[in-house]
Amino acid sequence: MDIYYLKQDRTPHLSHLVEQLGLVDKQPFTVDLNWQCDAVLNSFLRSLAAPGSPSPNTWRAYAEQLSLFFRFLIKREKTWRNASSEDWMVYYRLRRIQPGSLQISSSSWNVFAAALRRFYEWAKQEGHLKYVPFDYTTKLSPGPYPNQTSHILSTNLKERTRRKDIKYMTEHDFLEIYLPRIMATKEGLRNALFVRLLFRTGLRAQEAATIKLSMLPDPDSIFFKDLNTCPLTVLGKGNKERTVRVPKSWLRDVRRYIEWDRADAINRRRASRLKRSADINDEDFLFLTSLGRPATYSAFYKMMRVAGDGSGFSFKAHPHMLRHSYAIYTLSGMIRHMLARQTVPIHSRSEAYKRMVYDPLRVLSRLMGHASVMTTFIYLDYVDEITDMIDISNDCEGFEIDERALSGEQTE
C-alpha cells in the first residue's frame, strides 16, 4: 500500500477535478499494488483536514505510519478490519525492541499510536467496526492550578517516554565553528542566512523554509526606528499565524542574497524551464535552490547535518537544535533584564502592574509559538548553564529583544 500526496501547484490541469471531489492541497491518499483504493482509509485521510489536525505534516505522518502497519498486517494475512491487540503487540516488538533497521524511537512509536487510535476510533464512529483492537486506561494529569488534577482517557498503545536532555549550540560554537562551515557549503550565503534565522528567532525550520518575499519587513522603515528588530509574521504549526522578531542586520544581509545568488537562480531557471503557471508562484519563496526551485526542509536538514559532522561536535547538528539555543539564550536574557529592572524606580501604577505580572516564560512561550506555557518550562533547567556565556547588551545581532517585546507588549 503506497502513499501519494496531492500537490495542486504541480497539477494545475486537474484543478477542476480536485475542486469537484472536494480534495485538499497536500492531502495524502493510498493506492495498493493493484492500483485499487481503500475507500474507507482514504475517507479517513480526508477527515484529517479538520481542527483537530490542521497541519499537512500531521496528515503525512499519520498516513505513513498507518501504511507501514497495514503492510505488516498483509504479511500476517490480515487487514485492518480483523486486526487484534496481538497484532500491534507483535508490531511493537518488531519496531521498538528487536534491534535492526526497523527499530524506531519511543516518540516515533507514539506518533504511530496516535495515528492508530484516531483511525480506529473514527472507523468505529462511522460504523465500519464494532470494536477497537486496544484497551483504554484512565490516568491523572496535573491541572492548570496547584493541587488540581484531571482524568484523561488514554490507551495501552502509548509508550511512556523519558524526557531527554535538550541539545543546544552555544553562541561561540555557532559563530566561530558552525557558521563558517555553513558558509563553505554550496549555496553558502543562502544556507548561512537560513541557520542565522533559526538561531536568532527560534523559528521552526519548516516555518523558515516557507517564508516569502512579500512577508519580509523593511528594516529601514520609520515604523521600526530605534528598534534592533522588525516583526515577521509566519504561518506556524497548526496553520496558526505568529510573529517573531527578526534582527535588522539579517534583513539587510538578505537583500544581498536577493540581489545576487537568488536573482542568478531565477534567471537560470527562466532560461532553461518550460513555462508553466506554477513556476511564477514558486519564485515568491525567499530561499531557492541554484535552479530556482523552492528549497525544501529535507535539503536544509541534510546540509546542516553534514556541516555539523565536520565541526567536531559531540552531538548531531539539526535545525531544531538552533531553536532550543534561541529559547535558552532569550529566556536567560529576559530573566536578567527583569532582575535588573527591580532596582529602577516605579513612576506610575501601570508600570508597577506591568512589572508585577511580567513573566519571561509566557513571553518566550508566545515568541516560540507554544500552545502551552508548560512546554516552555523545560528551558528553565538550562538557563544557569549559559549565564556566563552571554552578554545581551553587547550582542550586535542576536538575543537583544526590543524593550517593548521584553515587557510583553506587542511591537507590531
Side-chain angles (χ1 to χ4, degrees):
M1 183 180 296
D2 294 324
I3 299 291
Y4 298 89
Y5 301 92
L6 172 67
K7 285 198 169 185
Q8 294 184 3
D9 60 343
R10 299 289 181 263
T11 56
H13 55 290
L14 299 178
S15 58
H16 179 70
L17 179 62
V18 167
E19 183 179 352
Q20 192 176 43
L21 295 176
L23 300 179
V24 181
D25 191 29
K26 299 180 181 177
Q27 179 180 304
F29 59 93
T30 65
V31 178
D32 64 19
L33 295 176
N34 298 319
W35 291 98
Q36 299 296 314
C37 295
D38 187 323
V40 175
L41 180 56
N42 284 325
S43 294
F44 166 73
L45 295 176
R46 284 197 298 273
S47 75
L48 291 177
S53 54
S55 170
N57 292 333
T58 301
W59 310 343
R60 186 185 190 98
Y62 281 16
E64 290 176 351
Q65 292 293 341
L66 290 174
S67 175
L68 289 172
F69 180 63
F70 294 161
R71 290 181 189 179
F72 167 79
L73 290 177
I74 290 173
K75 288 188 177 181
R76 289 172 65 86
E77 298 183 348
K78 284 192 172 184
T79 68
W80 60 264
R81 295 176 183 273
N82 59 4
S84 65
S85 58
E86 180 185 354
D87 293 310
W88 69 257
M89 281 299 296
V90 174
Y91 187 68
Y92 173 79
R93 298 186 190 104
L94 176 67
R95 302 304 307 275
R96 287 289 297 128
I97 299 176
Q98 184 174 322
S101 59
L102 296 178
Q103 192 173 45
I104 58 176
S105 65
S106 59
S107 58
S108 295
W109 170 263
N110 285 339
V111 172
F112 161 74
L116 196 69
R117 174 180 178 175
R118 181 151 181 174
F119 170 72
Y120 274 105
E121 288 180 341
W122 173 88
K124 182 180 177 182
Q125 183 179 356
E126 295 295 316
H128 301 296
L129 292 171
K130 290 186 177 180
Y131 307 101
V132 295
F134 46 80
D135 298 323
Y136 289 98
T137 59
T138 302
K139 65 178 183 179
L140 291 177
S141 177
Y145 303 104
N147 302 322
Q148 184 186 49
T149 58
S150 58
H151 293 271
I152 297 178
L153 191 64
S154 184
T155 70
N156 61 343
L157 289 166
K158 192 173 181 180
E159 181 178 325
R160 182 177 297 177
T161 59
R162 285 194 213 168
R163 198 185 83 185
K164 295 181 179 179
D165 289 337
I166 290 176
K167 296 291 190 296
Y168 67 94
M169 195 177 296
T170 66
E171 187 172 22
H172 173 271
D173 286 348
F174 178 78
L175 294 176
E176 303 298 328
I177 302 175
Y178 192 59
L179 193 57
R181 291 196 63 86
I182 293 290
M183 285 293 297
T185 61
K186 184 182 178 182
E187 305 296 322
L189 178 58
R190 180 204 67 186
N191 294 340
L193 286 168
F194 184 81
V195 298
R196 282 173 56 196
L197 182 64
L198 302 188
F199 194 70
R200 299 304 190 186
T201 65
L203 279 175
R204 300 178 180 91
Q206 190 65 41
E207 295 169 343
T210 54
I211 290 176
K212 297 185 177 182
L213 289 181
S214 55
M215 299 163 61
L216 296 178
D218 179 6
D220 299 320
S221 170
I222 191 173
F223 296 107
F224 311 129
K225 185 180 179 181
D226 300 326
L227 295 177
N228 298 315
T229 60
C230 300
L232 172 67
T233 301
V234 298
L235 193 62
K237 193 174 183 180
N239 288 332
K240 296 178 181 177
E241 284 191 350
R242 70 185 183 96
T243 301
V244 297
R245 309 296 307 185
V246 182
K248 287 183 176 180
S249 57
W250 183 88
L251 289 167
R252 294 188 176 108
D253 288 343
V254 162
R255 289 175 177 172
R256 290 191 299 123
Y257 164 66
I258 293 173
E259 294 172 0
W260 301 348
D261 294 21
R262 191 180 181 281
D264 290 342
I266 291 177
N267 291 333
R268 199 176 295 116
R269 178 176 178 179
R270 288 177 177 175
S272 62
R273 73 174 188 215
L274 294 174
K275 293 186 179 295
R276 295 183 301 177
S277 58
D279 295 337
I280 298 174
N281 297 327
D282 287 347
E283 291 178 4
D284 190 33
F285 285 93
L286 172 61
F287 296 112
L288 301 179
T289 67
S290 59
L291 298 178
R293 303 289 295 178
T296 62
Y297 166 80
S298 58
F300 281 124
Y301 185 95
K302 183 178 179 180
M303 174 273 298
M304 293 180 64
R305 177 59 63 88
V306 171
D309 289 344
S311 300
F313 297 144
S314 60
F315 48 78
K316 296 288 187 182
H318 56 83
H320 216 70
M321 174 181 289
L322 303 186
R323 178 171 162 85
H324 291 323
S325 300
Y326 166 82
I328 294 168
Y329 274 93
T330 302
L331 181 59
S332 174
M334 287 192 290
I335 291 174
R336 291 173 59 188
H337 179 88
M338 180 183 67
L339 295 176
R341 290 179 66 180
Q342 300 304 314
T343 60
V344 179
I346 297 175
H347 301 291
S348 66
R349 291 184 178 181
S350 62
E351 187 178 345
Y353 178 76
K354 288 179 183 178
R355 187 178 297 185
M356 180 176 64
V357 300
Y358 174 69
D359 182 356
L361 274 174
R362 292 196 178 277
V363 176
L364 180 62
S365 180
R366 188 181 71 238
L367 292 171
M368 297 288 286
H370 288 160
S372 169
V373 72
M374 297 298 293
T375 309
T376 320
F377 266 97
I378 60 174
Y379 297 113
L380 279 174
D381 295 338
Y382 300 86
V383 168
D384 291 340
E385 294 183 15
I386 51 91
T387 298
D388 298 330
M389 302 180 194
I390 182 172
D391 185 355
I392 293 179
S393 61
N394 293 328
D395 184 29
C396 62
E397 180 190 281
F399 301 99
E400 180 179 5
I401 300 179
D402 295 321
E403 182 71 18
R404 282 177 287 171
L406 277 170
S407 65
E409 297 178 14
Q410 295 291 335
T411 54
E412 58 275 15

